[in-house]
Amino acid sequence: KFHVVAGCFQIESNAINYIESLRQQNINASIIGQNDKGLYVVSCGNFATRREANAKLNDLRNQQQTVWLYKK
């Protein structure tokens, strides 16, 4: 599974606030858990294939978002 990640946060409330700011931009996002460093990972979508994930990644980058792929 591939996730398009918009950010990682040490404090959960910061991740929640960031999700709200993304939603105000009509970007659906959620916390998908914590990474191996204990950071809360904010994802803008999960996809079965890298191709699908890259399409979303490019779309969000066109909206001036800093995003990257995460394979889980």
Side-chain angles (χ1 to χ4, degrees):
K1 213 177 228 190
F2 295 90
H3 292 272
V4 176
V5 175
C8 295
F9 298 86
Q10 186 173 11
I11 300 168
E12 186 178 19
S13 62
N14 290 344
I16 292 167
N17 290 338
Y18 188 57
I19 289 168
E20 289 304 317
S21 73
L22 290 171
R23 288 183 179 162
Q24 289 175 6
Q25 300 172 59
N26 294 318
I27 298 170
N28 190 24
S30 63
I31 296 172
I32 59 167
Q34 291 177 278
N35 65 14
D36 57 349
K37 295 180 181 177
L39 301 176
Y40 293 92
V41 180
V42 175
S43 172
C44 294
N46 63 74
F47 305 89
T49 68
R50 183 181 294 271
R51 178 177 285 183
E52 292 172 317
N54 275 328
K56 181 68 171 180
L57 184 81
N58 291 330
D59 181 49
L60 290 171
R61 284 184 175 161
N62 288 336
Q63 296 179 41
Q64 305 299 321
Q65 298 296 321
T66 302
V67 291
W68 64 94
L69 286 184
Y70 173 67
K71 186 174 180 184
K72 189 171 183 179

